[in-house]
Amino acid sequence: MTRKKVLVMLGAVVLAVGIALAGIWYNAQLPPLAYPGAPAQDAEILFTTWADRYPAEGLAALTLRTTLQWLAVTVFCTLAAVVLALYYYKHQRELGYFLLYLAVLIAWGAVIILFPISLDPVAAALKRCFFPLTVLAPILLSSALTGVAPVSRTQKLLVLVLTMGYFPIALHSDARVRAVALFGGMIYCMGLLLLAYAKGSASVLLLLFPYAVTAGLRTWVILPGLDLSFFSESIRFYLVRCARIYDIPFTLGCMTFVCRRFALQFDRTEHLARELDERVVQRTRALTEESEARKSMMLNIFHDLRSPLFAVSSGLDTLEAAPDALPALLPAMQQRMTFLRRLTEDLFLAAKLEQKQVMLNEDRVSLSEAAAAVCESCQNEAAKKGVTLTTRFDAELPVWGDAMRLQQIVQNLVTNAIHYTPADGTITVHSFAAEGRALVLVQDTGCGIAPEDQAAVFDRYFHTTADTKHDSTGLGLTIAQELAHLHHGEITLESEMGKGSCFTLALPLLED
């Protein structure tokens, strides 16, 4: 616990004690309601007798008392109406306890106004019942508002037993026993609030200091029942006791605490609403961009489909007119059909990946062996273009995945490198382990990728803005990245214009 918290808690205790001591001192300066040696009588009878003896002063005192009584009841009723409205729209347990507390205060205030004299045994018993309720109700309300409440079944049972045992003591016929019980209840509630503040809830100060004021004022109400030699209740203090204004500070503190909590909830709601609006805007923008990208992709696909189809169609028309041209036209037609078949296969796989319909036949796979098999099959294609394909595989690199799909990832990377690497260029495929991951680097000496294109290189149907022409479908890197994600991995890119590109496949490495 910090020094600041200790000082604040000590300040709350000093405030309560200081108000009580200040009241005792000030009361001693005023004429007492009952003079020493006078027979024990009800305080209201003594007050009425004094008012009859001094009509002018008595009328002013009665008017002041009535005004204060109705003022207190009005405050409690107003707060009850506000809390009831809040409870109607938001059924929270804390608001229910607050309504219970306010109902007790309103009922007791009404009883004091309607039955000021306690000669009737029923009225006297009813008054004795209310004060313990106004001590227990703040305890219940403070527990609910601060969250410092019994949790386990044993704790709840213990609290119930203590509460049931408290009432007989608080309702005891001996005024001193009742006073001690009431003091104990107030000290317990004060300790409860101090404990809640000590646990780190700074907002409890909205309850702690108002209750300290109320506890100090309530001390003036309890002291007359102790029949102490140094405290003989004065007329002014009796007016305060009848008016019940001493409960207003804690009640207003509770109202402030509740309003603060609702204000924070409203702030959180508004913040969440703004976040939701921003997410909706971002999602709408993303969907719009995706829709535009899809339209662009479809246009590109239609364009690339038309070219081979037009070439094949034109070749067939030529063959129909001149069958002798078959040897010259056949290689070009085969090349166009190969591209068409590859484009169709890539489109079909990309669609399946987008719909999450690609199933992996997972097993333990050596990533180095998969990469070696791909490089061996791509040697002929690289040689035809005059590109040197070199490999270096440092270890077995065991990973968990689908061997065929892993080969497809590496093949797309190697094929892409061959497409963008000019004759006499070099492609290096290197596999190794680092930081618990299996890595395959595919580095080329091609044209490189412009910085403005690197962020979109894995987008569907991406073509670099470079002038290099090739037969790529534009889906290879997209398919490779999505397959890498299915294997809980990722492909990253490093590229510099004129110096080439380096694609790195990283997958989780299996431990032996």
Side-chain angles (χ1 to χ4, degrees):
M1 189 184 304
T2 63
R3 182 179 179 182
K4 179 182 176 181
K5 283 191 174 183
V6 173
L7 292 177
V8 170
M9 294 166 64
L10 184 61
V13 175
V14 169
L15 177 62
V17 175
I19 291 175
L21 293 178
I24 293 174
W25 175 84
Y26 182 65
N27 180 77
Q29 315 304 315
L30 302 174
L33 185 62
Y35 292 93
Q41 298 184 68
D42 183 270
E44 180 64 21
I45 295 178
L46 294 174
F47 176 74
T48 304
T49 303
W50 172 83
D52 292 339
R53 185 180 303 173
Y54 306 100
E57 297 177 1
L59 180 61
L62 285 171
T63 303
L64 177 62
R65 183 181 73 173
T66 303
T67 302
L68 292 176
Q69 285 177 331
W70 283 111
L71 173 65
V73 172
T74 302
V75 170
F76 299 146
C77 289
T78 303
L79 294 179
V82 175
V83 175
L84 184 61
L86 292 175
Y87 186 77
Y88 176 79
Y89 292 105
K90 186 70 173 178
H91 293 283
Q92 289 187 338
R93 183 186 60 178
E94 296 87 344
L95 295 178
Y97 291 145
F98 198 2
L99 283 174
L100 175 63
Y101 175 61
L102 291 172
V104 171
L105 295 180
I106 293 171
W108 194 10
V111 168
I112 295 298
I113 295 174
L114 296 176
F115 305 102
I117 300 178
S118 303
L119 295 180
D120 186 1
V122 177
L126 191 60
K127 288 183 179 181
R128 284 200 300 269
C129 287
F130 271 116
F131 204 98
L133 286 176
T134 57
V135 173
L136 290 175
I139 296 175
L140 182 63
L141 179 57
S142 299
S143 300
L145 291 177
T146 61
V148 182
V151 179
S152 65
R153 185 176 180 182
T154 303
Q155 292 175 340
K156 293 180 179 180
L157 182 61
L158 179 61
V159 170
L160 180 61
V161 171
L162 291 176
T163 304
M164 298 302 295
Y166 176 79
F167 266 99
I169 299 175
L171 297 176
H172 198 275
S173 57
D174 190 340
R176 295 187 177 183
V177 175
R178 292 200 306 271
V180 170
L182 299 175
F183 269 123
M186 291 195 302
I187 292 173
Y188 180 84
C189 186
M190 190 77 174
L192 192 69
L193 294 173
L194 290 173
L195 177 62
Y197 177 68
K199 287 186 174 181
S201 179
S203 60
V204 176
L205 294 178
L206 297 174
L207 302 176
L208 179 58
F209 281 94
Y211 188 79
V213 175
T214 294
L217 296 176
R218 276 187 173 180
T219 303
W220 306 348
V221 180
I222 299 175
L223 287 177
L226 294 175
D227 195 19
L228 301 172
S229 58
F230 62 85
F231 188 88
S232 181
E233 187 178 33
S234 65
I235 295 175
R236 293 183 182 179
F237 275 59
Y238 177 69
L239 294 178
V240 172
R241 177 154 66 98
C242 291
R244 299 205 45 75
I245 59 176
Y246 48 84
D247 282 319
I248 292 180
F250 180 64
T251 307
L252 293 178
C254 291
M255 192 70 235
T256 305
F257 186 90
V258 169
C259 290
R260 177 185 178 276
R261 176 170 293 182
F262 272 86
L264 292 177
Q265 290 180 354
F266 292 152
D267 287 342
R268 284 194 294 268
T269 302
E270 291 178 357
H271 180 68
L272 291 175
R274 286 195 295 269
E275 283 189 352
L276 182 60
D277 289 341
E278 291 176 1
R279 290 181 182 179
V280 170
V281 171
Q282 292 175 358
R283 183 57 181 164
T284 303
R285 186 184 301 116
L287 290 174
T288 302
E289 293 175 355
E290 183 178 347
S291 177
E292 293 298 326
R294 189 183 299 274
K295 292 179 181 177
S296 177
M297 183 185 73
M298 294 304 296
L299 289 175
N300 290 329
I301 290 173
F302 292 150
H303 177 269
D304 281 352
L305 285 174
R306 287 178 61 190
S307 297
L309 289 175
F310 177 79
V312 173
S313 177
S314 178
L316 292 175
D317 291 341
T318 302
L319 289 176
E320 183 179 4
D324 296 339
L326 178 60
L329 293 175
L330 185 58
M333 294 175 63
Q334 287 177 334
Q335 182 185 12
R336 292 296 85 195
M337 290 303 298
T338 300
F339 173 78
L340 188 60
R341 183 176 65 252
R342 189 166 66 248
L343 176 60
T344 305
E345 291 175 353
D346 285 352
L347 286 172
F348 181 65
L349 179 56
K352 290 181 66 177
L353 286 169
E354 187 175 5
Q355 298 298 324
K356 312 295 184 184
Q357 294 180 356
V358 175
M359 303 297 294
L360 299 180
N361 185 17
E362 295 180 305
D363 201 350
R364 182 186 178 93
V365 179
S366 172
L367 188 58
S368 292
E369 293 181 3
V374 170
C375 291
E376 184 178 353
S377 65
C378 291
Q379 285 289 354
N380 290 334
E381 185 177 356
K384 288 180 181 179
K385 194 173 181 183
V387 175
T388 302
L389 177 59
T390 62
T391 60
R392 187 169 81 250
F393 305 113
D394 293 353
E396 181 185 0
L397 301 182
V399 296
W400 188 259
D402 188 321
M404 185 188 72
R405 295 303 183 185
L406 291 175
Q407 289 184 10
Q408 189 172 6
I409 296 173
V410 178
Q411 183 171 357
N412 282 351
L413 296 179
V414 174
T415 304
N416 186 75
I418 294 174
H419 284 317
Y420 285 100
T421 302
D424 299 327
T426 302
I427 298 174
T428 303
V429 180
H430 179 202
S431 67
F432 60 96
E435 300 179 353
R437 298 186 303 170
L439 303 177
V440 176
L441 273 66
V442 179
Q443 189 169 10
D444 62 63
T445 58
C447 59
I449 301 175
E452 62 271 18
D453 289 340
Q454 292 182 19
V457 73
F458 295 106
D459 290 349
R460 292 182 182 275
Y461 218 85
F462 167 80
H463 284 295
T464 180
T465 54
D467 296 331
T468 306
K469 304 298 181 181
H470 55 80
D471 284 337
S472 171
T473 64
L475 296 170
L477 290 179
T478 301
I479 292 172
Q481 184 70 285
E482 293 188 12
L483 288 175
H485 289 164
L486 287 179
H487 287 83
H488 308 288
E490 187 179 15
I491 301 174
T492 56
L493 166 66
E494 294 180 5
S495 183
E496 187 175 350
M497 290 297 293
K499 293 185 178 181
S501 304
C502 179
F503 288 87
T504 302
L505 168 65
L507 298 174
L509 185 65
L510 286 182
E511 297 181 0
D512 294 333

